[in-house]
Structure formats: C-alpha cells, structure tokens
Amino acid sequence: MKGRSLRLQTRMTLWFTLSVAGILTVLFGLVYGSLEAILASRQRDELRLAVTQLSSQVEYEKGLIHFENETPISEEIVYFLTEENGSELASRGDIGLFDMVPVKEDGFTRTKLEGERWLVLDSPLLIVWEEAVRVRAAAPWRRNGQVLAFIRTIFLLAVPLMTLLAALLGRWMAKRSLRPIHGIIACANEIEAGELSRRVPSTGSGDEISQLADTLNRMLGKLEEAFQRERRFTSDASHELRTPVAVIRAYAEELLLRPDLPPGDRKSLETILQESVRMQKMIGQMLLLARAQEGRQPLEPERMNLAESIVGVKDALSDALAEKQIEFHYDGPTEAWILADQSQMTRLLLNLTENAVKYGRTGGRVNVRLEALSGRWRLTVRDDGVGISEKDLPHIFERFYRADKVRDRSGTGLGLAIVQGIVQAHGGVVSVESEEGRGTCVTVELPAGFLSPGGD
C-alpha cells in the first residue's frame, strides 16, 4: 500500500529550502576553496621573497663568507643557511626539525612535523667566491589554518540559520502562492455536495491559476447545463409517463374482473398489472428525485417522534416480515424527538427497512437501533442477509444501481438514492457497511434540529 504523499505546500517548501541550502553549501565551498588557494599562494610568495632576501645577504669579504642580516624577514619564517662543507652560516628558529625533509632545489615541500603543517623551500646552490651556500626557509600553516577555521565556523553557524530562514520564507511563499488553489478546492467541495451553480473564484491576474479557474468555470457551466437538461428530461418524462401507465393499470385491473377471461389471458394481464404497478412506483420515485434536485421539493420540518415512526414502519411491513419469518427488533428510546419533514422521514425509514427485509435471510433478524448523541440521532438498520460485495459497495447510492447477486424485478434501484437525498436535505450523513454472506448495516446520523434529543 502506497504511503501518503506530501502536500504540495510542504513539497514546495522542502524543495525551496533544499535549493537554498545547496546553493549556500556550494557558495561557501567555492569561497573556502578560493581562500585556501589564495592563502597558499601568498605563503609561497612570502617564502620565495624570504629566500631571495636571505640569498642576497650572503657576501664574501676578507677571505670569509658571512651573512649580513640587514633585511628583515617575516617573524613566522624559520631559515637555515649552510655552506657546502655543512657548517652553519646563519639560522633562525628550530630548523633542526627539518633535517629529515629531503632537499628539493627551488621547489616547495609540504610536511607535517609535531602536529603542525609546514611549507619548506630550498634554494639552488649559491656560488659565492668559489664557495657553495644553500638557503632553506619554512613557514607554518598556523595563521592560514586559523583563518580557514574561522570561515568553517561561520559556515557551520550561518548555513543552518539561513536554511531555517529559507524554510520559513519558503513556507510563507508556498502558502501565499497556493492560496488560490485552496479556494478552488473549497469551491470544488461545495460543487461535489451538489452546488453546481458555484463557480471557482478567479484572481483576474491572467496567470496560470487564473487561467485554470476560468477554464474550470467554463467546464462547470457546461456541466450545469447538461445536468439541468437531464433533470428537466427526467422530470418531464416521469410526469408524462404517469398518465399512460395509470391507464394501462386501470385497464388491466378492469379486464381481470371479467369472469369469462381465459386462464392464459389472465396470467398475461396479471403480469401487465404487476409491471405497471412497479413502473408507477419507479416513476413516482424518479419524479421525487427530480423535484428534490431542482429544489421543488421543499422540506416542511415539524416536531416528530422518530421512535414512533419506526414502530409504524414495522406495522406496515408486518406481512413481508411474516412471509419471510424475519424477526424485527427495535433497540432505542420510546421518545426520540427531532425537527424534520415527517413524510420524508417515514419514506427514509420505509426504504431502509424494506431493503433489510427484502435482502435479509429467511428466518433471520432485522435490528433497528436508535441512540442519542451530542445534538443528533444515530439510526442503524442491520440485517443478516446476502450482503453486498466490496466492488458493488461504492455504487449503491447511484440511481438504478443494483448488485448482481441481489438483483430482482421487485425493486427499482432508487431506494438508497432517495435515502441519501433525504438525509442530505436534513443536514445528515449516511454510510453503509456490508460483507457478503453476513448482512448489511446502514447508519444514518441526523441533527436533532432545534430540539435536544429526548426533549419536549
């Protein structure tokens, strides 16, 4: 199972933050590398200058070679001047540390002695009055290392701080950029709930989001027109079909009253009457749905006892319960006051219990439970019948949809669609849980209206 992906705002913030952190890291890396190269170059130049100055101060006078030491050399640099026979001409510092460093004429040698890095430069042999002299100078990396350590400290402190600031700035920018998207989502949720007249707010800025909003609005306009045409057609067709179906039913009933009717004709007329009755019921339900969708079926809320209506529905279904030997059990208070349209509530209860009886197991049980919650009532209708498959469950509120395993000719496929419409009209929610072979449970939650549950 795939995990939930990050929200777009979070991803935008994360990408912006990582980009800033990456840029800062590269920038500081370039600065650090450039500075290190500059410091190393400057140190090499200082050593070359020191060796040149030291070499220029070696002179021959009165048959002896001596070192004048008149030109100042950087205090950090240690040096050592030796004659060809190995005798020391001049020195400064503990040059003995470098005895193990091989001589590299006119070349630099990097070495580490006693935990400290050094750069060593050896001059070519200087011929002074037939005497050879060599100059060796060394400079520590200590001062340059301190500068680079300071830069590293700045990096370690500045990058996390700037990354945090980038995250806060990126979150603010992402939230501001996605604000129109949130408006589109909110509008889409309202449209999903049935408000097809709603339109996506357009920023009017001409950017991509504004173009998206305009495109969605044009699409919604066409969809609304298509739905309105469908609803008008359903309403008009249902209205026009009522009369011919009623006429067919009336003629079938009249012909069945004839005593001389042949048995074959009587069976055909009974089938015609049965189908016309079913068609009349379907047309009535289609007309009810069409009027509700068009807003021509206004609610007439009144104070009613929901528990009493459940008992009335049980009595209305007594023949069907007896035919299938199903036990009807009600669990709930004797008084459950609610502000609702009584006729629609009765239709809701009748549709739910009819389905439970129709698809319940012969000799089984139908449980109706009513319980008071905080400011609302919860109604559950449970049967122990054939159940609904997992693939059919998401479609059961669709008009004319019936699961294959429970398909019969007695139903219309509109009962649960009407239930959903009634529940939504009263500001409630309906859900279904089912398992094949173990039955179905329908749960309806309805607000009590202006009356508290159980109140007078």
Side-chain angles (χ1 to χ4, degrees):
M1 184 177 185
K2 293 182 178 179
R4 293 182 60 186
S5 59
L6 296 175
R7 294 176 59 193
L8 180 57
Q9 178 177 321
T10 304
R11 292 204 302 268
M12 291 175 65
T13 303
L14 186 61
W15 279 114
F16 181 79
T17 304
L18 291 177
S19 298
V20 171
I23 291 173
L24 288 175
T25 302
V26 172
L27 180 61
F28 272 95
L30 292 174
V31 170
Y32 185 87
S34 300
L35 181 60
E36 185 176 26
I38 291 172
L39 293 174
S41 176
R42 191 179 68 175
Q43 189 178 54
R44 287 194 297 270
D45 291 341
E46 288 180 349
L47 273 180
R48 284 196 183 97
L49 178 60
V51 169
T52 301
Q53 291 175 336
L54 292 169
S55 299
S56 65
Q57 296 183 79
V58 178
E59 294 184 355
Y60 181 82
E61 185 177 349
K62 297 180 181 180
L64 296 174
I65 297 176
H66 65 92
F67 178 68
E68 293 185 349
N69 195 16
E70 294 178 351
T71 303
I73 305 298
S74 174
E75 294 181 357
E76 289 189 342
I77 296 176
V78 298
Y79 55 84
F80 188 56
L81 284 77
T82 58
E83 297 182 28
E84 189 175 12
N85 57 14
S87 60
E88 178 181 325
L89 183 61
S91 66
R92 185 175 73 182
D94 190 6
I95 199 67
L97 288 173
F98 304 95
D99 288 344
M100 301 301 296
V101 179
V103 175
K104 186 178 180 181
E105 290 191 2
D106 201 21
F108 293 97
T109 302
R110 291 193 176 276
T111 186
K112 190 171 184 180
L113 301 170
E114 296 185 356
E116 188 170 3
R117 293 170 58 190
W118 291 83
L119 184 64
V120 180
L121 176 60
D122 292 304
S123 71
L125 285 175
L126 303 176
I127 305 300
V128 181
W129 198 257
E130 297 182 355
E131 293 289 339
V133 177
R134 186 180 300 279
V135 178
R136 166 171 280 191
W141 186 254
R142 185 187 316 112
R143 185 176 61 182
N144 295 336
Q146 291 173 350
V147 174
L148 294 175
F150 178 72
I151 296 298
R152 289 196 299 271
T153 302
I154 293 177
F155 172 77
L156 294 175
L157 294 176
V159 169
L161 179 61
M162 296 180 74
T163 301
L164 177 61
L165 293 176
L168 296 176
L169 178 62
R171 180 176 178 82
W172 177 82
M173 291 173 62
K175 186 176 181 180
R176 183 178 179 86
S177 300
L178 295 176
R179 190 174 299 164
I181 301 294
H182 294 311
I184 293 176
I185 294 173
C187 181
N189 289 331
E190 294 180 9
I191 294 170
E192 183 183 12
E195 294 289 336
L196 294 179
S197 59
R198 289 281 287 117
R199 292 295 178 267
V200 176
S202 178
T203 59
S205 59
D207 57 11
E208 289 82 356
I209 294 180
S210 178
Q211 294 175 16
L212 173 62
D214 294 339
T215 303
L216 288 175
N217 286 333
R218 288 194 297 270
M219 180 187 69
L220 290 171
K222 293 180 180 179
L223 286 175
E224 184 180 13
E225 291 177 4
F227 278 116
Q228 287 177 349
R229 286 195 299 269
E230 179 191 353
R231 290 170 181 174
R232 283 196 298 268
F233 172 78
T234 303
S235 178
D236 295 343
S238 301
H239 184 76
E240 294 298 327
L241 287 172
R242 293 176 69 184
T243 300
V245 172
V247 171
I248 293 171
R249 178 178 179 179
Y251 272 105
E253 290 174 344
E254 182 180 351
L255 289 172
L256 283 171
L257 294 175
R258 293 184 178 182
D260 58 343
L261 193 66
D265 293 343
R266 181 175 296 278
K267 184 175 181 181
S268 298
L269 285 172
E270 288 175 349
T271 302
I272 292 172
L273 180 59
Q274 181 182 357
E275 290 301 318
S276 62
V277 170
R278 193 177 74 88
M279 185 64 70
Q280 267 192 323
K281 181 180 179 181
M282 182 185 297
I283 291 171
Q285 290 179 334
M286 288 174 59
L287 193 58
L288 176 67
L289 279 173
R291 287 175 175 174
Q293 289 175 340
E294 292 176 357
R296 295 192 290 117
Q297 190 77 18
L299 294 178
E300 297 180 0
E302 58 181 301
R303 180 176 177 268
M304 62 170 289
N305 186 354
L306 198 58
E308 187 178 281
S309 297
I310 294 173
V311 175
V313 167
K314 175 187 176 183
D315 295 338
L317 295 175
S318 58
D319 292 341
L321 289 168
E323 182 181 350
K324 295 190 68 173
Q325 301 176 0
I326 292 178
E327 180 185 352
F328 186 101
H329 178 72
Y330 169 66
D331 179 18
T334 57
E335 292 189 357
W337 297 100
I338 186 173
L339 195 64
D341 188 305
Q342 186 162 1
S343 63
Q344 294 200 26
M345 279 293 113
T346 302
R347 185 183 299 276
L348 179 146
L349 293 170
L350 192 59
N351 284 357
L352 291 180
T353 49
E354 271 187 338
N355 278 349
V357 173
K358 183 186 300 182
Y359 304 123
R361 178 172 54 86
T362 300
R365 182 185 180 97
V366 171
N367 293 312
V368 178
R369 178 180 177 84
L370 186 63
E371 55 183 328
L373 302 177
S374 178
R376 65 189 190 277
W377 289 103
R378 175 184 288 167
L379 170 72
T380 56
V381 179
R382 184 186 299 274
D383 65 68
D384 54 3
V386 295
I388 305 171
S389 67
E390 187 177 352
K391 68 180 181 64
D392 292 320
L393 201 57
H395 306 286
I396 58 174
F397 291 109
E398 298 175 8
R399 288 178 292 177
F400 301 109
Y401 187 88
R402 286 175 292 182
D404 292 336
K405 292 186 178 181
V406 294
R407 186 181 299 276
D408 59 31
R409 295 290 297 167
S410 62
T412 62
L414 295 171
L416 286 178
I418 292 175
V419 167
Q420 186 183 50
I422 294 173
V423 171
Q424 290 178 348
H426 285 80
V429 292
V430 57
S431 60
V432 178
E433 295 178 359
S434 185
E435 186 176 348
E436 283 188 282
R438 303 193 64 176
T440 301
C441 178
V442 182
T443 302
V444 175
E445 290 191 11
L446 295 167
F450 300 107
L451 301 172
S452 59
D456 294 327

